[in-house]
Amino acid sequence: MPKIDLYRNVHMGQRARLFALATELGAADVSHSGAAAEHAARCLAMTRELREHADHEDTFIHQLLRERAPEAADALEAEHVRLDAAFVALDEQARTLTGTPSEDLPEAQHALYLALNEVISAYLAHLHAEETVAMPALWQYAGAEELGAVMAAFRASRTPEQAFTDLRRMLPALPPAPRVAIVREVMAAASHGQADRTLAAVSGTLSPDQRHRLYEDLGVPEVRAAG
């Protein structure tokens, strides 16, 4: 049985969306009406999401880590200092962009782009520490039942809407095998008669090729996913 990895899948989804956000912001034409506000809002939403994610890890994972591997926990705390500063700087640049005169927008856009990439740089280091220091420590000092209980407690804390959002953010970044395994589990847990609707909902953010492969792997007829 594969080891329970508390970080891997969600981190893959975060990386994919951070990289996409940076690419799209860099290439955006913010001179169009509402475009600057839209991209500023996307950056603010991202820092809000990453802060919430950090809170979830503190609540459900890192207490166990501090008990079993305090040195690994200390390594993560050191990453938070740079990360928090990067979040604050990005938020400030995003709020600045929306009030920038049109003639100054190119420079303000680039400043936001640089601030976003500083967040990405800091966040990648943080993810690396969690994946190569924290998770191996948990494998060494905590049993599979404890790790499973951590995962179960987090899932129980999410509303159905939040759980769907989590999946729709994560699934496009995963390879086919773990993607179909997660979706099978979600469909099995769905209410009676709701498996097809659940499948359509969670696959709504997949590309056409990814969605086709998912339905093929599940062995079910492909239907249009819910948007």
Side-chain angles (χ1 to χ4, degrees):
M1 177 179 294
K3 293 178 180 179
I4 296 174
D5 193 323
L6 303 174
Y7 298 110
R8 179 173 179 167
N9 290 341
V10 66
H11 285 181
M12 290 182 72
Q14 288 177 339
R15 285 185 176 98
R17 291 184 304 106
L18 282 166
F19 297 155
L21 179 58
T23 300
E24 291 162 12
L25 173 62
D29 181 358
V30 294
S31 66
H32 283 190
S33 177
E38 176 188 349
H39 286 280
R42 289 181 66 192
C43 289
L44 290 168
M46 181 60 73
T47 57
R48 184 167 58 252
E49 176 192 332
L50 297 182
R51 287 185 175 105
E52 290 173 356
H53 174 72
D55 289 342
H56 297 155
E57 290 181 334
D58 282 342
T59 300
F60 296 101
I61 302 175
H62 296 161
Q63 181 176 350
L64 177 63
L65 186 68
R66 291 184 187 101
E67 292 173 358
R68 303 299 174 82
E71 291 183 0
D74 289 344
L76 295 189
E77 290 299 326
E79 292 291 335
H80 274 294
V81 175
R82 180 186 173 197
L83 193 56
D84 289 344
F87 285 162
V88 169
L90 177 57
D91 288 347
E92 289 175 353
Q93 289 293 341
R95 295 187 181 103
T96 296
L97 184 69
T98 56
T100 299
S102 58
E103 64 271 18
D104 297 327
L105 272 176
E107 290 305 314
Q109 176 185 3
H110 191 64
L112 180 59
Y113 175 78
L114 293 179
L116 174 58
N117 279 277
E118 175 60 23
V119 164
I120 293 172
S121 175
Y123 202 68
L124 291 179
H126 179 68
L127 299 185
H128 185 72
E130 289 182 331
E131 293 165 351
T132 65
V133 177
M135 198 64 239
L138 287 169
W139 285 329
Q140 182 175 358
Y141 297 113
E145 288 187 2
E146 289 177 296
L147 298 180
V150 167
M151 186 71 77
F154 170 72
R155 289 174 176 169
S157 76
R158 307 296 278 166
T159 66
E161 293 78 12
Q162 289 171 330
F164 276 128
T165 297
D166 294 341
L167 289 170
R168 287 161 64 90
R169 287 170 173 170
M170 179 176 65
L171 291 177
L174 302 184
R179 183 189 299 132
V180 72
I182 291 169
V183 172
R184 279 199 182 103
E185 183 179 349
V186 172
M187 291 175 67
S191 302
H192 179 69
Q194 295 298 307
D196 289 345
R197 180 175 292 183
T198 298
L199 172 58
V202 299
S203 63
T205 51
L206 299 179
S207 71
D209 286 346
Q210 289 176 328
R211 190 161 55 248
H212 177 75
R213 174 63 184 272
L214 174 64
Y215 278 80
E216 185 178 68
D217 288 345
L218 290 169
V220 299
E222 186 171 354
V223 296
R224 182 170 180 171

